[in-house]
Amino acid sequence: AKTLGKARYAVFDKEMHEKAVSAMDIESSLRTAIERDEFELYYQPILSSETDRVIGAEALIRWRKSDGGMISPGEFIPIAEETGLILPIGEWALRTACRQAVVWRDMGLPEITVAVNISARQLQRQDLAHVTQALLEEAGLEARLLKIELTESAVMADVDHAIAIFKDLERMNIKISVDDFGTGYSSLAYLKRFPIHTLKIDRSFINGILDNEDDRAIIGSIIAMAHSLNLRLVAEGVETEAQYELLGKLGCDEIQGYYCSPPVPAADFVAYVQKNHEL
Ligand code: C2E
Ligand code: CA
Ligand code: CA
Ligand code: CA
């Protein structure tokens, strides 16, 4: 038993060690990734369930290393957050998305609101509103075409600070969306204090709506309460036509998910919008 215990420790140490080494590897290559132009934004269409037309896009970062390997944001965003590298990376994403929205606008595409993910660390920074304003001006984008997505947990980490920043953003006409809604501990009654525009219902609630009556009831009441607070509702992770139709019937305003399209490079997004709008 003694030797077995020892062997177990050895395996555990090895795993921990490998994890730490790989995090360090990611951190050091992350430091140079912006300069080397290794990031790209993909865009996932968001459709109005009323008209079935694309009205928005969520910008999702992709990292292609020089050796050709792709690293998913789920792997490197947490490391970027821990190390503070999310500040330059997040600014790059915001700048790139604003520029892209201007390109689409100038192509004469139907109006598209671009949603950009902002991490807790970026929100903590006092000047998020100021930085965003500067990037909008630099790109020449109208503030109303930008939406900022923050997770429920990022918002709850420092409520008073979040409210102050949100008020600045609201004054600037920038919309705020609470992402992954339902996974944290906040309630809609509580969120009433925040000047937010949109709630994005977490994917985990969407999975079961067809065969689980409880999930359907939860979504139904979230939608009803959100509408009574004048919030727009987006469902993410919609993978089937049946889910799409049911969410429309339940009154969900906007739909995003593989059923419509996965996140795609900017050029493919344009093709999708043109086809969807029959242009
Ligand atoms: P998120 O903000 O919740 O983004 C939605 C994720 O769900 C994306 O994963 C998207 O590809 C995926 N998804 C979309 N439709 C479906 C569907 O129908 N089914 C399933 N199973 N998944 C779907 P992705 O692109 O891997 O991004 C993962 C997370 O990384 C994002 O979750 C977000 O938290 C973070 N992230 C991505 N880009 C950025 C960024 O520019 N800045 C920051 N701070 N975080 C980012
Ligand atoms: Ca419909
Ligand atoms: Ca998001
Ligand atoms: Ca989400």
Side-chain angles (χ1 to χ4, degrees):
K2 216 174 177 186
T3 35
L4 205 136
K6 237 184 183 170
R8 275 239 208 86
Y9 269 117
V11 170
F12 183 62
D13 279 349
K14 189 162 173 269
E15 265 175 27
M16 294 268 288
H17 181 71
E18 277 167 4
K19 266 206 176 129
V21 167
S22 114
M24 269 161 58
D25 278 353
I26 292 183
E27 182 187 344
S28 65
S29 39
L30 262 183
R31 289 195 183 277
T32 52
I34 292 186
E35 297 152 37
R36 294 185 184 164
D37 204 20
E38 292 177 350
F39 293 121
E40 191 180 343
L41 288 184
Y42 274 32
Y43 298 89
Q44 186 173 32
I46 300 174
L47 273 62
S48 156
S49 64
E50 202 183 322
T51 63
D52 300 324
R53 303 286 194 203
V54 181
I55 53 171
E58 178 175 4
L60 292 155
I61 198 164
R62 296 291 177 263
W63 183 17
R64 197 184 309 275
K65 295 220 291 175
S66 45
D67 62 13
M70 289 278 271
I71 301 180
S72 79
E75 259 177 276
F76 72 85
I77 291 288
I79 295 168
E81 282 176 1
E82 275 165 39
T83 54
L85 289 167
I86 193 66
L87 293 176
I89 294 169
E91 193 170 314
W92 174 88
L94 202 47
R95 171 181 288 115
T96 304
C98 288
R99 287 182 177 166
Q100 188 61 66
V102 166
V103 170
W104 292 334
R105 183 198 67 197
D106 293 349
M107 285 174 72
L109 282 194
E111 196 162 283
I112 286 167
T113 301
V114 64
V116 180
N117 292 287
I118 298 290
S119 79
R121 194 76 177 249
Q122 289 170 277
L123 178 65
Q124 278 163 20
R125 205 164 108 159
Q126 209 63 49
D127 58 352
L128 178 64
H130 187 250
V131 167
T132 307
Q133 175 83 58
L135 291 173
L136 283 169
E137 277 169 19
E138 181 194 300
L141 183 69
E142 297 87 333
R144 64 183 173 78
L145 296 179
L146 178 65
K147 198 180 260 191
I148 280 180
E149 287 196 7
L150 279 153
T151 62
E152 193 183 351
S153 56
V155 172
M156 292 305 148
D158 184 348
V159 168
D160 292 335
H161 177 67
I163 291 180
I165 301 281
F166 288 6
K167 284 189 173 153
D168 290 342
L169 292 168
E170 187 190 36
R171 250 179 262 120
M172 291 159 50
N173 255 326
I174 297 167
K175 296 189 260 308
I176 295 155
S177 177
V178 174
D179 204 353
D180 302 346
F181 180 74
T183 57
Y185 298 100
S186 60
S187 65
L188 276 174
Y190 189 71
L191 280 176
K192 197 169 72 176
R193 300 170 51 204
F194 294 76
I196 58 176
H197 179 273
T198 300
L199 283 186
K200 215 171 198 186
I201 308 173
D202 190 66
R203 182 163 82 226
S204 57
F205 292 96
I206 308 301
N207 293 335
I209 51 167
L210 288 170
D211 30 52
N212 186 320
E213 213 171 300
D214 291 341
D215 283 1
R216 203 154 54 233
I218 291 172
I219 296 278
S221 59
I222 291 178
I223 293 172
M225 281 194 285
H227 283 164
S228 73
L229 296 173
N230 271 324
L231 296 172
R232 265 181 96 76
L233 255 295
V234 182
E236 64 178 355
V238 177
E239 295 184 350
T240 67
E241 181 176 10
Q243 289 173 340
Y244 183 100
E245 292 303 332
L246 177 57
L247 285 160
K249 283 202 193 94
L250 289 172
C252 188
D253 303 290
E254 301 176 18
I255 310 276
Q256 176 181 358
Y258 294 163
Y259 171 64
C260 305
S261 165
V264 292
D268 298 346
F269 179 82
V270 170
Y272 184 90
V273 172
Q274 286 169 331
K275 188 156 181 268
N276 170 267
H277 282 262
E278 290 156 19
L279 296 173

